[in-house]
Amino acid sequence: MSNTNFDQVTQQFESMFFGPARAYAAMTLDYSEKLMAAQFDAAKAYSDLGLSQARAALDVKDAEGLRSYVEGQQKVAKEIGERAKADAEKVVAMNQEVAQQAQKLTEESVSSASKAASSATSASKPAAK
């Protein structure tokens, strides 16, 4: 096999297999990084909220303090609900973005593979006399 043929095969493998696999791996890694960051942010926010509520419970010393603490729990419950909803929406948006990127990558890979296959087919046909 000549160097030209070897280079052509290498280029075809790159465009049909390795390039798309590398792009998909990079996309997946970026998604994982974003998802972990979102999870860490949420965990920190929930932990901070829980610790502040535990401190507030320790500050209860009388009936008025207990009433104030219990009223504050309603605000905390609402805050947690809103935070959970926002976190879920963030993850859904990230999933949709990854799905769109994966679809685009697949379409580009199929197009690239089609072009490579048709050029390989035309290159292997004998020239007409």
Side-chain angles (χ1 to χ4, degrees), residues 3-117:
N3 261 355
T4 306
N5 288 342
F6 184 74
D7 290 342
Q8 184 180 9
V9 169
T10 301
Q11 186 178 15
Q12 287 175 346
F13 269 102
E14 175 65 29
S15 66
M16 290 173 53
F17 301 110
F18 300 127
R22 219 178 281 112
Y24 183 77
M27 179 188 65
T28 303
L29 188 59
D30 288 343
Y31 170 74
S32 297
E33 183 178 14
K34 288 177 185 177
L35 185 60
M36 284 191 297
Q39 289 173 335
F40 283 134
D41 289 345
K44 180 163 179 14
Y46 295 130
S47 297
D48 290 346
L49 188 61
L51 289 172
S52 71
Q53 289 306 297
R55 291 187 200 297
L58 290 174
D59 288 340
V60 173
K61 295 184 176 40
D62 57 11
E64 182 61 30
L66 179 61
R67 184 185 65 76
S68 177
Y69 175 76
V70 170
E71 287 175 358
Q73 291 302 298
Q74 292 173 348
K75 292 177 186 173
V76 169
K78 182 179 178 184
E79 186 179 326
I80 289 173
E82 290 172 356
R83 174 70 196 225
K85 180 182 174 188
D87 290 342
E89 289 171 351
K90 182 188 248 184
V91 170
V92 167
M94 286 191 308
N95 287 340
Q96 289 174 343
E97 181 182 348
V98 166
Q100 290 170 351
Q101 289 175 349
Q103 182 177 2
K104 181 180 176 187
L105 182 60
T106 301
E107 289 170 357
E108 290 171 356
S109 297
V110 168
S111 174
S112 173
S114 296
K115 288 177 185 176

